[in-house]
Amino acid sequence: MLYKSTRDPSGARYTSAEVVKRGIADDGGLYLPESIPTLAKDEIDKLRHVPYHERAAHILTKFLTDYSFEELLDDCRAAYRHESFPSGPAPLARLDDRLFSLELWHGPTAAFKDMALQLMPRLLTRALKKTGERRAAHILVATSGDTGKAALEGFRDIDQTRITVFYPENGVSLVQKLQMATQTGGNVDVCAVRGNFDDCQNGVKQLFSDSELALELDRRGAFLSSANSINWGRLVPQVVYYVSLYCELQNCGALRAGDRFCVCVPTGNFGNILAAYIAGLMGVPIKKLICASNLNNVLTDFLRTGRYERNRTFHKTMSPSMDILISSNLERLLYYIAGADKTREYTAKLAKTGSYLIAGEEKDKISESFIGYFADETETTAAIQDIFKKYGYLCDTHTAVAFSCAEKYRRETGDRSIIAVVSTASPYKFA
Ligand SMILES: *Cc1c(COP(=O)(O)O)cnc(C)c1O
């Protein structure tokens, strides 16, 4: 399986090891596989009865064809071991017959970023070997709080790597700040930035496209790479838990094979929900992807009107990991919907004017799969209380945004399908 850049219509292709190593394409685009492999029904039946790390290796081997199945199995076993995920990597909580919570925060840093970042450094180390790379990979990370800690924890003291994390000084929770500031390890650096997450992300993207910096680093035996969800190596492990979710919904008797269900994802950079979209393309019968935003509802507006408009007030909310106005991974969806030429046009417009408009068939295609809602601060607080009163279930602020949006979806559409809310952080992380 080879990969291409979302902004390159020329047909240049890259191997999976190359893509994991480089993180972002030279033209500023994001890597995507040439085609999406599918999962047959009997494959899913088999996956239902194996542990999570085997499910993971089985999915990954379809995308990362430079890696042997045994290598992937070893890495997944190590990444998702019991010491790191004492309650299992992706347990499913049943609130009632039609409402579930997929808990992705049982890893070392108490947020769902661990699902990818416990594995990705292992994939990168192998990629360096496979591509004959002798330079050190210097990982740059822009974080709204959770990626930073999870990446530091994943990369600490990993051979041939260094990591620098940039976080918005006043844009993360106290727990998140302390987690990052107290990081141990010989190859780690953390910088607080005066600005918000988008400033951090834009700064990092600028460094990636600075050719003089690249030359200087090369002279010193290093190159830059990314651990944000712009890196395919970070995104593909996230596809796994949507396949696993489908297995678990069948295992607990809530669904029969082929029955469709909805997922509701608290969204910031659009990585997590894009992974769900890809799981859908592989054959997981997802009926609707409910994109849940907080007051920074740029995606809600985009999915409803077709206009992406980042020129708007930036809100600091109680769900800081979703305080984002430029959702990088939307570029991958644009590519699927509109192709490389149009994607380049839209992303150039976004960089220049802060907005772009899609319409007609492109908009219809997106609406077939996605629907957007947002919850304000009052609704988020109310959702925490409602879910606790109704089910005795405690959720964090990000997950609460999703519960609130799932409820709005039910009310607005009358759809009675099963909804799995994706729970992205431990309630104790955002007290
Ligand atoms: C990162 C994060 C999100 C947003 O995920 P994206 O992949 O950026 O859309 C939501 N909730 C929490 C707790 C996060 O850490």
Side-chain angles (χ1 to χ4, degrees), residues 110-113 144-147 176 229 234-235 238 241 265-274 299 319-322 324 327 329 396 398-399 422-426 429-430:
F112 87 98
K113 306 297 197 291
S144 55
D146 290 328
T147 295
Q176 289 175 316
S229 53
R234 161 86 192 269
L235 207 64
Q238 296 185 226
Y241 49 73
V265 186
T267 300
N269 223 359
F270 210 74
N272 200 354
I273 198 165
L274 187 90
L299 287 166
S319 46
S321 301
M322 295 155 67
I324 291 176
S327 300
N329 271 292
D396 91 290
H398 304 76
T399 308
V422 176
S423 180
T424 48
S426 157
K429 195 165 181 181
F430 299 92

Side-chain angles (χ1 to χ4, degrees), residues 68-337:
S68 73
F69 181 74
E70 286 67 34
E71 288 174 332
L72 292 170
L73 194 61
D74 282 351
D75 287 350
C76 292
R77 188 182 289 115
Y80 301 117
R81 66 186 186 274
H82 180 76
E83 296 75 53
S84 302
F85 291 87
S87 309
L92 185 61
R94 185 178 202 151
L95 305 196
D96 65 25
D97 286 347
R98 291 179 298 126
L99 190 61
F100 290 77
S101 175
L102 178 66
E103 296 179 352
L104 301 177
W105 41 263
H106 292 281
T109 77
F112 87 98
K113 306 297 197 291
D114 289 326
M115 296 299 293
L117 283 164
Q118 282 296 302
L119 178 61
M120 194 203 139
R122 302 169 204 274
L123 300 178
L124 179 68
T125 304
R126 289 197 195 274
L128 295 176
K129 289 217 180 72
K130 287 175 192 296
T131 56
E133 181 60 66
R134 310 188 74 91
R135 296 173 300 169
H138 195 131
I139 311 292
L140 297 184
V141 179
T143 184
S144 55
D146 290 328
T147 295
K149 178 61 184 182
L152 288 163
E153 204 45 47
F155 278 99
R156 114 178 109 101
D157 295 327
I158 297 271
D159 264 1
Q160 220 183 327
T161 71
R162 283 198 62 85
I163 174 166
T164 306
V165 169
F166 300 90
Y167 73 88
E169 187 177 23
N170 297 313
V172 299
S173 81
L174 181 61
V175 172
Q176 289 175 316
K177 186 180 276 192
L178 289 172
Q179 279 185 319
M180 289 187 279
T182 58
Q183 179 67 43
T184 57
N187 62 342
V188 303
D189 259 322
V190 183
C191 309
V193 171
R194 297 199 182 99
N196 59 34
F197 170 74
D198 291 312
D199 297 317
C200 297
Q201 179 160 256
N202 287 336
V204 164
K205 280 186 180 166
Q206 229 165 312
L207 292 175
F208 279 129
S209 56
D210 184 334
S211 47
E212 258 176 60
L213 176 67
L215 271 177
E216 179 60 29
L217 284 171
D218 186 61
R219 267 197 291 277
R220 299 180 185 208
F223 69 99
L224 296 179
S225 188
S226 164
N228 281 96
S229 53
I230 54 178
N231 191 323
W232 181 253
R234 161 86 192 269
L235 207 64
V236 66
Q238 296 185 226
V239 175
V240 174
Y241 49 73
Y242 290 102
V243 178
S244 181
L245 166 63
Y246 180 43
C247 293
E248 292 303 321
L249 284 172
Q250 291 182 63
N251 287 350
C252 75
L255 272 190
R256 276 175 318 196
D259 287 351
R260 299 201 301 164
F261 60 98
C262 299
V263 296
C264 182
V265 186
T267 300
N269 223 359
F270 210 74
N272 200 354
I273 198 165
L274 187 90
Y277 177 70
I278 290 171
L281 296 178
M282 292 183 80
V284 176
I286 296 175
K287 182 174 184 186
K288 263 301 183 239
L289 295 157
I290 305 167
C291 177
S293 300
N294 64 22
L295 267 182
N296 296 294
N297 55 0
V298 59
L299 287 166
T300 319
D301 288 350
F302 172 70
L303 293 173
R304 295 195 164 236
T305 67
R307 177 171 293 285
Y308 197 96
E309 180 59 80
R310 67 153 298 201
N311 301 308
R312 59 172 72 212
T313 310
F314 178 87
H315 297 281
K316 281 202 334 197
T317 73
M318 67 178 97
S319 46
S321 301
M322 295 155 67
D323 289 348
I324 291 176
L325 291 180
I326 303 179
S327 300
S328 293
N329 271 292
L330 192 59
E331 177 163 346
R332 286 191 164 107
L333 180 64
L334 288 177
Y335 179 89
Y336 280 123
I337 302 300

